[in-house]
Amino acid sequence: MAQQPVILVGVDGSDAGMGALDWAAAAARTHGWAVHLVCAYSLPSFAASTMDGGFAAIDESRVRSSADEVLDAAEARLGGGLTITRSVETGDPTTVLADMSRDAALVVIGKRRGGGLADRILGAVSSALPPHSHCPTVVVPYTEEARVSIPVRRIVAGMDGSDAARGALSRAIDEAIMWNASLTVVSAVPLATGGAALSWGLAPMDPDELLSDVQRGLDEIVGTALEEAGERAKGLKVDKHALGGSGAALMAEFSSAVDLVVVGTRGRGGFAGLLLGSTSQSVIQHSHCPVLVVPSKADRSSLGGPYPWQ
């Protein structure tokens, strides 16, 4: 099936999951999309040893009942004005959500920041799902002091000149238009290693000259992306910066001052990396704000606007 205007939200009843739900609700209202709530669980073949040395079976009906209660609470939290559907799914949460992402416009999940990943559906899903999802994924970090970054008013996107980064830029422009947000596009240039020169296809050169060259390339890439967006991007405020330093460190720093970070992945083999190497994975782990991860293997028509259903 083609992707539909639906936001898929993984929930597990945790505070981190509810924070992701709040972000998804705001996105659904802003984009005019529906919401599908998913509570997924997998069952081991036994729960505990019995007196006779056998194993006691798990009462799946009780597990499913608990999952329904989680969905009840999530649906109540969403409030009115949204088209909401829901399902309880059995299986590994990452696999379930990745498979269901074939038919969604966006997947939203939560994670704990600093104190380890949340239990149940959150677990390692926030790390494992984005490179395997068929549609973009938003990972919403949670701490007890954190404020969910909605509405989105400031967006930063990373650019390293790759096709994956260009796809992420297209989606970042779309998000900025939909949220009426400003957009900053950043190219990280690790001057100490000279690695950025190779990433951009440039020969080694003086650091200042390298930054200037990357800035020119960045200006051209962003200009082309805005031309492709057409009239929809008219009036969109876009800042462009080529900065010396580590991509991961720069994105983490920007994440404390913006509402959404946009990065790309290079497909199902894991993060080959936006902004060089495995930076996108690091961004997810250390970001202070939600991270939108755009898979490069998704149909470009569903990454840029207008969306195919509009």
Side-chain angles (χ1 to χ4, degrees):
M1 289 180 60
Q3 292 176 334
Q4 301 298 314
V6 176
I7 298 178
L8 189 65
V9 188
V11 295
D12 69 344
S14 68
D15 290 336
M18 290 303 180
L21 186 67
D22 291 341
W23 196 95
R29 291 188 171 92
T30 298
H31 292 62
W33 295 349
V35 174
H36 184 77
L37 304 173
V38 180
C39 187
Y41 65 90
S42 57
L43 294 175
S45 58
F46 59 86
S49 297
T50 61
M51 294 294 292
D52 61 3
F55 295 103
I58 290 178
D59 184 352
E60 185 173 358
S61 64
R62 294 183 61 182
V63 176
R64 190 174 187 87
S65 177
S66 295
D68 280 326
E69 291 176 3
V70 167
L71 290 174
D72 287 342
E75 191 168 350
R77 189 179 182 103
L78 285 174
L82 292 173
T83 299
I84 303 169
T85 54
R86 52 189 273 181
S87 64
V88 175
E89 306 289 340
T90 57
D92 170 71
T94 299
T95 303
V96 167
L97 291 172
D99 187 56
M100 296 181 73
S101 72
R102 296 175 186 274
D103 304 326
L106 189 68
V107 179
V108 180
I109 54 175
K111 71 174 287 291
R112 290 193 181 276
R113 184 178 180 277
L117 298 175
D119 294 332
R120 290 173 288 175
I121 192 174
L122 301 182
V125 176
S126 59
S127 296
L129 178 61
H132 292 88
S133 177
H134 295 269
C135 71
T137 302
V138 173
V139 179
V140 181
Y142 173 84
T143 64
E144 292 183 358
E145 299 80 17
R147 173 186 62 84
V148 177
S149 300
I150 47 178
V152 174
R153 291 291 176 254
R154 295 159 297 179
I155 299 173
V156 63
M159 172 55 63
D160 68 352
S162 67
D163 288 342
R166 292 169 193 257
L169 175 60
S170 294
R171 183 56 181 256
I173 290 172
D174 255 6
E175 292 296 323
I177 293 169
M178 297 296 287
W179 289 100
N180 192 27
S182 63
L183 174 62
T184 299
V185 186
V186 176
S187 286
V189 185
L191 300 175
T193 64
L198 297 177
S199 174
W200 282 86
L202 305 172
M205 59 183 69
D206 175 79
D208 290 338
E209 185 179 353
L210 175 58
L211 281 172
S212 295
D213 227 28
V214 171
Q215 183 69 54
R216 285 192 292 272
L218 179 61
D219 292 342
E220 181 178 346
I221 289 172
V222 173
T224 299
L226 290 173
E227 287 179 6
E228 291 176 351
E231 284 296 314
R232 298 180 310 107
K234 186 177 181 179
L236 177 63
K237 183 179 185 297
V238 182
D239 293 323
K240 306 172 290 293
H241 303 288
L243 302 173
S246 156
L250 284 172
M251 289 294 99
E253 184 176 350
F254 270 96
S255 75
S256 65
V258 301
D259 304 311
L260 183 67
V261 171
V262 181
V263 294
T265 76
R266 288 178 181 155
R268 305 186 152 262
F271 287 96
L274 171 69
L275 301 174
L276 311 180
S278 58
T279 302
S280 48
Q281 176 74 0
S282 180
V283 171
I284 289 175
Q285 295 301 321
H286 300 290
S287 179
H288 296 267
C289 73
V291 178
L292 171 59
V293 185
V294 182
S296 63
K297 286 195 174 183
D299 184 345
R300 285 295 294 272
S301 68
S302 69
L303 300 183
Y307 292 96
W309 49 79
Q310 293 179 321

